[in-house]
Amino acid sequence: EVQLVESGGGLVQPGRSLKLSCAASGFTFSNYGMAWVCQAPTKGLEWVASISTGGGNTYYRDSVKGRFTISRDNAKNTLYLQMDSLRSEDTATYYCARHHEAGFDYWGQGVMVTVSS
Amino acid sequence: NTVMTQSPTSMFISVGDRVTMNCKASQNVGTNVDWYQQKTGQSPKLLIYGASNRYTGVPDRFTGSGSGTDFTLTISNMQAEDLAVYYCLQYNYNPTFGGGTKLELK
């Protein structure tokens, strides 16, 4: 059974950093592109970043370029999102998702990130 | 960025209804469109990929169609378990989601 389990969320002050992790199991992690998708409270879904199977190619939405870094450790079956210079508008639930074609076929349960002083 | 505009934003429906919702892309995205279902308090689930391909295990009452800029998700014979918010996604360019269509009971 495919499982994606996020961790690392919490309350953080504006300008500070946070690192999210996503532990994958039930499939060959290194064979799939992976992504982070967020959802602000009561709002819709927004793609945040994607990474290729080997980690050599990364892609970001404009609003997080230069602040967020997606990475992966295929030996540990884990996806990461390093979030720096956090802003209040980054407050959201962050989902780890597996790429299917270029969409997403499996999603984690999500982890909440709250940016507030 | 490619903007995906969903309509309507909400619908009041009855069990057994045929439901149609739409998604319009701001530029040609071919058939690079998915549809997702998100129930309250849950993660999204993939229903349709490549505009018209039903994902594994998705009931055949869900049908996707369209290409280019106009896409449709149809639910024939609506069930109570289908109450949710539905999102379209284009991935012809950097992925962008529509704003969602919420289905509620009359």
Side-chain angles (χ1 to χ4, degrees):
Chain A
E1 180 195 3
V2 172
Q3 285 201 315
L4 299 169
V5 180
E6 302 95 337
S7 60
L11 173 64
V12 62
Q13 292 179 327
R16 304 298 290 264
S17 299
L18 206 59
K19 186 171 186 176
L20 306 182
S21 299
C22 170
S25 61
F27 66 102
T28 305
F29 182 68
S30 58
N31 285 353
Y32 289 85
M34 298 294 296
W36 291 96
V37 178
C38 73
Q39 186 169 34
T42 72
K43 300 295 185 185
L45 300 164
E46 285 189 337
W47 168 77
V48 175
S50 291
I51 188 166
S52 59
T53 53
N57 294 303
T58 56
Y59 312 88
Y60 300 91
R61 66 179 294 110
D62 287 346
S63 62
V64 307
K65 276 181 190 172
R67 299 190 300 122
F68 290 10
T69 303
I70 188 171
S71 62
R72 64 191 297 161
D73 185 334
N74 285 345
K76 294 183 177 179
N77 291 341
T78 303
L79 176 73
Y80 302 101
L81 186 68
Q82 176 69 44
M83 309 166 72
D84 298 325
S85 303
L86 281 160
R87 306 168 180 167
S88 58
E89 55 263 37
D90 297 321
T91 294
T93 295
Y94 285 76
Y95 296 99
C96 163
R98 188 178 84 168
H99 268 295
H100 173 273
E101 311 258 336
F104 316 103
D105 62 350
Y106 282 94
W107 300 61
Q109 83 287 351
V111 63
M112 186 68 200
V113 172
T114 302
V115 184
S116 175
S117 53
Chain B
N1 284 344
T2 304
V3 177
M4 301 295 278
T5 303
Q6 283 188 247
S7 61
T9 54
S10 66
M11 299 177 73
F12 289 88
I13 49 81
S14 300
V15 171
D17 281 353
R18 179 182 176 88
V19 176
T20 299
M21 62 190 79
N22 303 293
C23 191
K24 188 171 187 67
S26 61
Q27 58 186 310
N28 188 339
V29 295
T31 56
N32 295 313
V33 167
D34 290 351
W35 289 92
Y36 296 82
Q37 175 194 67
Q38 186 178 31
K39 298 181 181 180
T40 303
Q42 296 186 16
S43 305
K45 288 186 169 59
L46 176 62
L47 296 176
I48 302 289
Y49 66 96
S52 61
N53 301 290
R54 208 172 287 117
Y55 187 62
T56 306
V58 174
D60 60 8
R61 63 180 180 273
F62 291 92
T63 303
S65 63
S67 66
T69 60
D70 293 287
F71 301 88
T72 299
L73 177 68
T74 300
I75 310 172
S76 61
N77 191 20
M78 176 82 186
Q79 301 297 300
E81 70 212 49
D82 301 333
L83 292 174
V85 180
Y86 292 82
Y87 294 95
C88 60
L89 165 77
Q90 71 77 24
Y91 49 85
N92 193 57
Y93 308 95
N94 275 348
T96 49
F97 289 90
T101 293
K102 185 175 184 179
L103 300 187
E104 300 176 275
L105 275 179
K106 276 183 189 168

